[in-house]
């Protein structure tokens, strides 16, 4: 019969959120000892693990070396158990490759790569459980990992997806909403300056609505950045307690 | 403000799949009651003094119905008496899942401010959410959720007991188990029937109650009459394996024991399966989607030609069905046998409320009566009512509740009365309902999108539009027209050319895409014109006022302006949104008089003359290209201004000005069609008229041949030309008759979307492309075209659905827009014809028996169809009757001729008939015709002595 009602007349979404509300974000930094930086982030039921190595000397083909800045190498993968149906290939398929590329572009815009010429920074992200907004969760997790690694950035990069239903923008879509025929847009933002690091949309949307949708996405990203900021500060407090400063 | 708890819901679908969804619980969902001082709500729906006078609850109370109550008793809930109801989200979701029509009705009620219905989002409320327990079914869980929410409400409201004199909630359920559990938890709970019966002021509501399960048991005997329907899972596997066929059940109009199931096969081919006998029909009702099983070949039968009607008193359930079906058992020739089957299950019921009349039970005290629907294909329905004596002789609506296997008839309940049978208003209502014409008053939600009065053109509107107020624009319409959607102007330019403008009401300025007003108009699709009544597509404020291009007021318009030379060749075309001020609203006759009156020389008249001149050239050009002029007799009733009874009727007269307006409308439509197709090749809404297959013309060719006239049907042009020269000496009416026949050969013109089809040709108009642009007040297709054109010229913004060709046309979706428009268009035509037929009957009712001359239009196996040109009336003269042996009939397919005794009837023969109204069946009154001349002994009737149709119609008759 009729599909899911994504936004009820009372203004509630499938999972009980209102249109502008984000899912619950929980995160931890420094989850691995052997990596230079690492973070684990949950946004609702989407869970991601990000690990950062570097900056270090170029590995593999040296020809890719850049003389004025660092090369950022991203790899995105999804655990076989992350989706409802078991995945065959955890990484290397077309979607993952595309996602890796997007992550790379995002972080090239945010990380101050010119400080590390002729070197390489590796960012590995793995989705442990997927429930919509994979790209944005990866960006948020990777931001924390990069901060954990102590690599200077211009600002936090925060990302969020927004969808458009019944003339209303919905923030932070879950899987049921993403697959329910909503035109969605992913946006990565450097919140303090309001610069857009990446904007991606592959659905049909009327031009007139684009403005409101981007507006909503930016507000959502700023919301995420507040949470991330808290996580970083708390982590710092914990670490300074341990080191006894 | 957001308490987030994460819950896990597991569902299995297909294989084993674990779906995990978040479910946030909130503490900011308010109760919606006026009495509450705790919730921080902005507006309240539920009144503080919620009083319905009831024997059971003498205190104010809110009602909480459960899902089944809403699903089955929506008729009662819609009554204005029922107010202050809490609809739980659980209920709303379940209803949405189970029945789309009920869901829509429920939504409409919720939007109605007067009804005070409040939706409580209990599934996301911190205190009312419950998790499904192990071993609990989904239904039980939902019932419990409803109880928990009701409990929460009663506790919540208790806090304000002091100043509400004991306001509380009443749970309504028909489920015994649910009721018991609710009572245990201390809730106030009633069965729905119990509650409705207790209402003091409104005893008539009781009749509208749908019968619930336990009531049905009382009615029916225990004997099982019908085989059990198979469960859906077995039907599905049966269809997959090919042992069952799925199709739409179509009951026979003439024989209640017979039906066909229309099975749509792969691609285009489809088969029909014949079903005969009550047992095999197995409780399927017309239009249901059913699964059938074919019978073995030796049990196949031929369709019987007998007319059987389920008449008389209610048959006992235990009646020997053999007796009823004996008439069917006629051995048929092997060749005539058709695939025969039996219904094994019903996949989808397509029940709607049916119009009809009550047959009062012979037992005086009985409260159970049979109801006979107006549509003969629907079985009789058993209903329970205590007002049978008042309902007798009235047209009523009844909904079917169910058809248990032990009952001869389906069980239903009374919905409402439409009024006395035979009365004009009632019959009008009936024909609207039977033709599925949405005709209810516009809902509050729809009206809320109307512009606020007093309305005036704002400077912003003015700035965006071209000011054409200085032009001498006028409109020409039929008399009494209040929804004027087109106006014209014509003026001479300095260079000697002519500027011609067609100005169409700018309805899309008021109807914005996607809002309730737009959706309602899209659903209605078209305005329906009945004799003396109009069912509007858009509310009256728009149709007769703001959008109507009346004279001497400023109106918004969408203008199509051409520059033409004196030979009516288009030099330039442009489209613009504009503001106009019409100088005159004329009728066709008035306009004609102005043109003809040589003494008149004002601006308007000059403009009209210019238009008329150009129109004639345009028409000539069009006919040369092969446009058809077809004929169908349309009648106009002169209606008494007080009684609204038809007092005279005449066939519509066509004047030059009719064709003048038509010509420019066609031109505008074609210009617009070209423009929107150029601009949006994928998603332009167009109209096409396919060429009919050659076989359609057989009847026309044969008929013409009988008079030694050749008709060529190779192309529209050939047809038009040969029709023009087809004349028979001494038979002036022949050509018109031929054109009437040609009209019957045509296909139906349809709306479609340019991206979904490659054949755009309009056969009748001989135009390679065509659309509807000129009547946005009364056709929704024009609204879409207006929007497309507005986007094309940059006057308005677009929206996603406009550019989505799948929303416009989709072969598989009934909901696709153009399918709906085509359907509504067809139904409105049927309704219109039915209305004319009804008024013709009224007319003849007052006239008694008449003798008239007519022509044979068709010849059938046992009858001839006669057309009376004077009334534009068609009737059938039957030569065989049910009771006595008929005359000797010989039908010759080739002629076609029908020989009755010695006389042979041909098409176009002139005959004389008597016309009278046959009112023996009050539900199906019809015009009866009998032959007077030629005289055939035993067949024709003597000419009754009646005065010829009164020259001066007597108003008092």
């Amino acid at each position: 019969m009729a599909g899911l009602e994504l936004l009820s007349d009372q203004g509630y979404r499938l999972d009980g959120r209102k249109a502008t509300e984000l899912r619950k974000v929980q995160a931890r930094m420094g989850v691995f000892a052997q990596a230079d930086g690492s973070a684990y982030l949950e946004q609702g039921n989407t869970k991601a693990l990000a690990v950062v190595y570097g900056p270090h000397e170029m590995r593999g083909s040296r020809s890719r070396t850049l003389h004025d800045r660092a090369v950022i190498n991203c790899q995105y993968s999804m655990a076989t158990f992350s989706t409802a149906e078991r995945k065959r290939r955890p990484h290397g398929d077309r979607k993952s490759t595309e996602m890796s590329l997007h992550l790379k572009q995002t972080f090239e815009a945010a990380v101050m790569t010119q400080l590390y010429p002729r070197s390489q920074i590796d960012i590995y992200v793995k989705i442990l459980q997927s429930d919509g907004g994979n790209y944005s969760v990866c960006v948020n997790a990777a931001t924390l990992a990069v901060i954990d690694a102590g690599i200077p950035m211009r600002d936090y990069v925060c990302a969020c997806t927004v969808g458009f239903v019944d003339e209303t923008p919905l923030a932070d879509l879950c899987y049921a909403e993403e697959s329910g025929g909503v035109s969605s847009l992913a946006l990565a933002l450097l919140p303090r300056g309001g610069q857009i690091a990446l904007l991606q949309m592959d659905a049909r949307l009327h031009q007139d609505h684009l403005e409101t949708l981007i507006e909503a996405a930016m507000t959502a990203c700023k919301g995420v950045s507040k949470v991330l900021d808290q996580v970083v500060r708390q982590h710092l407090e914990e670490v300074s307690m341990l080191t006894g400063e | 403000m957001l308490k987030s708890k994460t819950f896990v819901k597991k569902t299995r679908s297909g294989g084993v799949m674990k779906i995990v969804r978040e479910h946030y619980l909130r503490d900011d969902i308010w109760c919606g009651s006026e009495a509450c001082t705790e919730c921080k709500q902005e507006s309240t729906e539920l009144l503080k003094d919620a009083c319905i006078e009831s024997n059971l609850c003498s205190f104010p109370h809110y009602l909480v119905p459960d899902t089944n109550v809403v699903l089955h008793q929506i008729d009662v809930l819609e009554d204005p008496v029922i107010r202050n109801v809490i609809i739980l989200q659980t209920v709303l979701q379940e209803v949405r899942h189970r029945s789309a029509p009920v869901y829509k009705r429920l939504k409409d009620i919720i939007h109605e401010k007067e009804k005070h219905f409040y939706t409580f989002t209990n599934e996301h409320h911190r205190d009312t959410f419950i998790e499904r327990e192990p071993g609990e079914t989904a239904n039980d869980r939902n019932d419990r959720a409803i109880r928990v929410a009701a409990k929460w409400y009663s506790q919540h409201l208790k806090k304000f007991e002091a100043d509400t004199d004991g306001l509380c909630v009443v749970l309504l359920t028909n489920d015994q188990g649910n009721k018991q559990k609710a009572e245990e938890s201390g809730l106030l709970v009633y069965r729905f029937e119990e509650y409705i019966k207790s209402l003091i002021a409104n005893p008539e509501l009781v009749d509208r109650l749908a019968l619930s399960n336990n009531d049905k048991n009382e009615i029916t005997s225990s004997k099982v009459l019908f085989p059990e329907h198979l469960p859906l899972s077995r039907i599905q596997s049966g269809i997959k394996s090919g042992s069952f066929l799925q199709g739409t059940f179509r009951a026979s109009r003439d024989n209640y024991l017979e039906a066909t199931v229309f099975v749509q096969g792969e691609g285009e081919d489809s088969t029909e399966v014949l079903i005969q006998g009550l047992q095999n029909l197995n409780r399927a009702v017309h239009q249901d989607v059913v699964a059938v099983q074919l019978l073995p070949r030796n049990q196949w039968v031929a369709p019987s030609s007998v007319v059987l009607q389920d008449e008389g008193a209610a048959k006992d359930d235990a009646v020997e069905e053999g007796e009823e079906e004996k008439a069917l058992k006629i051995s048929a020739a092997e060749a005539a046998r058709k695939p025969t089957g039996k219904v094994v299950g019903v996949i989808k019921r397509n029940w709607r409320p049916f119009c009809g009349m009550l047959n009062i039970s012979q037992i005086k005290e009985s409260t159970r009566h049979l109801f006979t629907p107006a549509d003969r294909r629907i079985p009789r329905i058993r209903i329970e009512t205590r007002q049978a004596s008042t309902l007798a002789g009235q047209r009523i609506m009844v909904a079917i509740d169910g058809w248990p296997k032990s009952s001869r008839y389906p069980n239903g309940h009374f919905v409402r009365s439409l009024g006395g049978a035979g009365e004009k208003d009632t019959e009008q209502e009936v024909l609207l309902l039977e033709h599925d014409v949405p005709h209810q008053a516009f809902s509050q939600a729809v009206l809320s999108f109307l512009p606020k009065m007093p309305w005036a053109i704002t400077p912003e509107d003015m700035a965006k539009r071209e000011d054409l107020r200085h032009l001498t624009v006028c409109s020409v319409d039929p008399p009494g027209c209040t929804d004027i959607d087109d106006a014209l102007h014509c003026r001479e330019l300095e260079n000697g050319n002519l500027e011609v403008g067609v100005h169409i009401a700018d309805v899309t300025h008021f109807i914005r895409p996607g809002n309730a007003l737009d959706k309602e108009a899209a659903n209605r699709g078209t305005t329906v014109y009945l004799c003396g009544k109009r069912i509007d597509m858009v509310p009256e404020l728009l149709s007769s006022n703001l959008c109507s291009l009346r004279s001497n007021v400023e109106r918004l318009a969408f203008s199509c302006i051409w520059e033409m030379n004196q030979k009516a060749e288009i030099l330039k075309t442009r489209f613009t949104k504009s503001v106009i001020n019409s100088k005159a609203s004329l009728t066709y006759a008035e306009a004609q008089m102005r043109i003809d009156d040589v003494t008149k020389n004002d601006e308007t008249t000059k403009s009209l003359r210019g238009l008329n001149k150009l129109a004639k050239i345009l028409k000539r050009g069009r006919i040369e290209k092969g446009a058809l002029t077809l004929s169908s007799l349309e009648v106009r009733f002169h209606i008494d201004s007080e009684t609204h009874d038809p007092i005279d009727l005449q066939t519509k007269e066509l004047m030059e000005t009719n064709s003048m307006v038509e010509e420019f409308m066609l031109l505008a439509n074609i210009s617009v069609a070209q423009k929107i197709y150029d601009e949006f090749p994928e998603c332009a809404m167009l109209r096409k008229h396919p060429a009919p297959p050659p076989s359609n013309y057989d009847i026309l060719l044969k008929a013409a041949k009988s008079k030694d006239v050749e008709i060529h049907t190779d192309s529209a042009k050939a047809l038009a030309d040969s029709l023009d020269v087809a004349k028979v000496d001494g038979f002036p009416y022949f050509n018109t008759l031929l054109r009437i026949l040609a009209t019957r050969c045509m296909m139906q013109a349809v709306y479609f979307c340019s991206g979904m089809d490659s054949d755009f040709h309009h056969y009748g108009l001989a135009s390679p492309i065509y659309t509807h642009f000129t009547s946005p007040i009364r056709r929704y297709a024009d609204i879409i075209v207006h929007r497309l054109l507005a986007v094309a010229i940059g006057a308005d913004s677009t929206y996603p659905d406009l550019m989505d060709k799948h929303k416009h046309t989709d072969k598989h979706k009934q909901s696709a827009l153009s399918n709906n428009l085509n359907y509504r268009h067809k139904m409105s035509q049927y309704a219109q014809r039915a209305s004319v037929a009804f008024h013709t009957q009224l007319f003849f009712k007052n006239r008694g028996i008449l003798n008239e001359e007519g022509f044979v239009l068709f010849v059938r196996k046992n009858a001839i169809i006669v057309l009376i040109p004077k009334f534009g009336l068609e009737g059938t003269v039957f030569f065989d009757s049910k009771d006595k042996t008929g005359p000797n009939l010989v039908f010759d397919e080739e002629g076609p001729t029908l020989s009755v005794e010695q006389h042979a009837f041909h098409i176009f023969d002139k005959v004389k008939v008597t016309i009278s109204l046959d009112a023996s069946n009050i539900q199906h009154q019809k015009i009866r015709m009998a032959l007077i001349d030629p005289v055939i002994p035993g067949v024709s009737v003597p000419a009754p002595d009646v005065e010829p149709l009164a020259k001066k119609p007597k108003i008092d008759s």
Side-chain angles (χ1 to χ4, degrees), chain B residues 844-913:
Chain B
F844 284 105
K845 192 174 168 187
N846 301 338
R847 289 288 172 283
I849 297 173
L850 295 176
N851 301 331
E852 280 305 329
E853 261 181 17
F855 297 99
V856 177
L857 200 58
F858 293 107
V859 177
R860 298 259 186 264
K861 268 184 187 145
N862 61 348
I864 51 172
I865 291 164
V866 178
L867 175 84
I868 316 282
K870 186 168 174 186
F871 302 129
L873 174 74
E874 250 175 68
T876 315
V877 178
F878 286 102
F879 293 120
D880 53 352
S881 48
K882 281 172 228 164
D883 34 338
K884 53 183 184 205
T885 49
N888 186 19
L889 299 175
V890 182
F891 181 66
D892 178 11
E893 190 95 33
E894 277 314 299
T897 57
L898 177 71
S899 308
V900 182
E901 301 292 346
Q902 267 71 48
H903 188 88
F905 287 99
H906 298 89
I907 290 188
F908 303 134
D909 279 359
K910 199 180 220 179
V911 291
K912 252 191 186 162
V913 291

Side-chain angles (χ1 to χ4, degrees), chain B residues 647-855:
Chain B
I647 47 178
D648 195 5
L649 88 191
Q650 59 181 191
T651 46
K652 268 184 199 163
E653 235 179 290
L654 290 181
M655 274 174 278
E656 237 174 34
T657 41
N658 285 62
S659 98
M660 173 187 94
V661 173
E662 190 190 337
E663 220 47 59
F664 284 105
M665 294 306 130
L666 291 177
L667 194 64
N669 285 338
I670 293 170
S671 296
V672 171
Q674 196 59 51
K675 173 80 181 172
I676 58 172
Y677 178 63
D678 288 347
E679 206 75 25
F680 306 107
E682 277 295 290
C683 58
M685 171 82 110
L686 301 176
R687 188 168 173 83
K688 67 170 174 181
H689 183 208
S695 60
N696 272 25
Y697 286 121
D698 283 356
I699 186 86
L700 177 69
L701 293 178
K702 276 183 194 167
K705 216 172 195 176
S706 69
K707 292 279 176 206
D708 290 324
V709 172
E710 280 283 317
I711 297 287
H712 303 279
T713 58
D714 330 330
S715 67
K717 170 103 176 107
L719 179 63
D721 290 346
S722 54
L723 278 175
D724 283 341
V725 297
K727 285 197 178 75
V728 171
D729 289 334
F731 192 180
Y733 206 63
F734 175 72
N735 195 275
T736 313
L737 281 176
L738 217 49
R739 285 182 198 272
I740 292 173
L741 275 183
T743 313
R744 308 278 163 97
C745 304
M746 292 299 150
M747 307 280 284
Q748 187 68 246
V750 289
Y751 295 111
F752 71 105
C753 174
S754 57
M756 307 296 277
D757 209 327
S758 53
D759 173 29
F760 295 173
H761 195 74
H762 197 291
Y763 183 79
L765 297 172
S767 169
I769 192 164
Y770 192 66
T771 192
H772 270 165
F773 168 73
T774 51
S775 300
I777 301 181
R778 59 185 178 89
R779 287 187 307 231
Y780 190 76
D782 302 51
I783 291 189
I784 294 291
V785 171
H786 270 233
R787 288 185 185 149
L788 286 167
L789 185 65
V791 175
I793 62 167
D796 205 344
S797 60
T798 159
Y799 58 102
D801 284 357
L802 189 66
M803 297 297 147
D804 189 347
K805 63 178 179 179
H806 294 284
K807 289 253 164 71
H808 288 195
T809 323
D810 193 331
K811 275 186 183 148
H812 307 291
K813 253 196 247 155
Q814 193 58 55
S815 60
L817 186 60
S818 51
N819 288 356
N820 181 45
L821 294 182
N822 289 331
Y823 169 74
R824 294 289 186 208
H825 185 76
K826 193 172 73 191
M827 285 328 248
S828 84
Q829 280 185 330
Y830 290 162
Q832 236 153 304
R833 268 180 234 166
S835 170
V836 169
F838 173 69
H839 277 77
T840 317
Q841 288 165 13
L842 273 187
F843 178 72
F844 284 105
K845 192 174 168 187
N846 301 338
R847 289 288 172 283
I849 297 173
L850 295 176
N851 301 331
E852 280 305 329
E853 261 181 17
F855 297 99

Side-chain angles (χ1 to χ4, degrees), chain A residues 3 9 15-16 21 44 206, chain B residues 22 24 26 96-97 107 119 798:
Chain A
D9 285 350
D15 51 10
E21 287 170 352
H206 194 273
Chain B
E22 282 179 291
Y24 290 88
R26 323 181 59 107
R96 182 168 187 271
H97 214 66
K107 281 269 219 161
T119 318
T798 159

Side-chain angles (χ1 to χ4, degrees), chain B residues 348-385:
Chain B
K348 186 167 172 277
R349 289 288 193 192
N350 256 331
W351 291 340
R352 58 186 171 94
F354 300 105
C355 304
M357 291 181 71
L358 205 61
N359 303 34
I360 308 271
S361 165
Q362 281 109 331
I363 308 159
K364 210 175 149 207
E365 291 77 26
S366 173
T367 56
R368 285 172 205 141
H369 304 273
L370 270 187
F371 161 85
T372 313
D375 189 340
R376 291 209 199 101
R377 293 168 297 192
I378 308 295
R380 294 200 283 173
I381 303 164
R382 192 189 335 241
I383 66 166
E384 192 167 351
T385 175

